[in-house]
Amino acid sequence: MYKKILLFLLFGVTIAGQAVANISVFPYNIDFEAESNKRVQNVRVINTSNETQTYRVSFVNFAQDEDGGLAETKDGEETFADKYLTWSPRQFTLKPNEVQTINIARKSMAQAPDGEFVSHLRIGEVAIGAPKSKNPTVENADTLSMQLKALFAITLPVTIRKGKALMNTTTVESYKKIAENAMMVTLKRSGNLSSRVNIAVINDKGEDIGRVNSVKIYLSTDKLNVTIPLNQKMITSNAKLKLEDARTKKDISTQAVSL
C-alpha cells in the first residue's frame, strides 16, 4: 500500500522583458542618473490572471551572451545596481486586475565610482500553502497524485549611471537573411556604457518591413545577435536597415541591405 503523496511541482518562468500570461508591468526599464535629484521611480504591476496571487519582489544580476540570453551571475559585482537601491513593498497580494505600485529609491552615490550599474528587478509569483483536493474520496485514497502549478516571474532592468565620461557606440557588424520572413542582425557595442537601440528594416516606400524595439546590449557582452521578423508582402529590392537610439529616438545609422 502506498501512502498518498501530493506533489506540487513549481515551474519558474523568468522573462527578461515586459509581460507573461499572468502579470503585466510598466514601465519596462528604469533609468537613474546619479547627478539627478530624481531619487524615486515606480513600477506598476497588474495581475492579469483570473486568480488572487501573491508576488515577491527582489533583485537579480545577469550576464548576457551574444544571443541575448541572460544567466544569473555573481561575476562583475562592482557593476551591479542593487547595492545602491531600496524598494518596497517586498511582497504583496493582488486580486485579478488589481494594480500595485512598487517604489524604487536610489541611495546616495557620493562614494560610488563613476560608471554604469545594472540589476534586474524580479517580480515573481509565490505559492502560498499546498493545493487542496476537491474530491474527499480521492483525498483518502491510497494513490499518487500530482498537481502542476506554473509560477511566473518577470524581470526588468534598473540602471544607474554616474559620471560624465560614459559613452557607447553601436554599429551593425553583419546581417543575413535566415528565412523568407526573418533576418539576423549582429550588433557591435563598444565603450563603457550599455546601449539600447531600435532596429528597423525599411522598404523603398519608407514603410517598416520589420522592427524590434528596445534591444539592450549590456556591458557583459560586446556583440548581440538579433532576429527580426519580416513582412514578406512589404519587401522591396531597395531596403534599408536603420538603427535608432531607443531613448532619444535619434538615428544612429542607415545602410542599404539586400533581401
Side-chain angles (χ1 to χ4, degrees), residues 154-225:
I154 191 166
T155 66
L156 58 96
V158 179
T159 303
I160 307 173
R161 299 180 182 90
K162 180 184 179 184
K164 302 299 183 182
L166 301 180
M167 57 79 63
N168 70 63
T169 301
T170 305
T171 59
V172 175
E173 182 175 85
S174 63
Y175 72 89
K176 61 181 178 180
K177 198 171 181 183
I178 57 175
E180 287 301 314
N181 60 349
M183 68 183 295
M184 178 179 289
V185 176
T186 298
L187 300 178
K188 173 74 173 179
R189 181 200 58 78
S190 60
N192 57 359
L193 195 65
S194 63
S195 65
R196 189 161 73 240
V197 298
N198 301 329
I199 311 173
V201 184
I202 303 169
N203 64 17
D204 55 9
K205 298 179 181 179
E207 302 168 322
D208 282 358
I209 304 171
R211 173 178 285 270
V212 179
N213 289 330
S214 290
V215 176
K216 189 75 177 277
I217 312 176
Y218 295 96
L219 292 179
S220 53
T221 185
D222 59 357
K223 289 184 181 181
L224 188 66
N225 300 316

Side-chain angles (χ1 to χ4, degrees), residues 48-95:
T48 56
S49 75
N50 57 7
E51 298 178 350
T52 297
Q53 181 61 54
T54 297
Y55 303 90
R56 186 167 295 147
V57 185
S58 60
F59 272 98
V60 292
N61 297 307
F62 291 123
Q64 184 182 45
D65 62 29
E66 290 186 6
D67 292 318
L70 297 174
E72 286 193 45
T73 182
K74 292 184 179 180
D75 295 337
E77 289 188 5
E78 67 278 2
T79 66
F80 297 152
D82 54 345
K83 56 184 171 291
Y84 301 114
L85 300 167
T86 61
W87 66 99
S88 66
R90 302 292 177 101
Q91 185 166 304
F92 56 89
T93 299
L94 293 179
K95 295 178 181 179

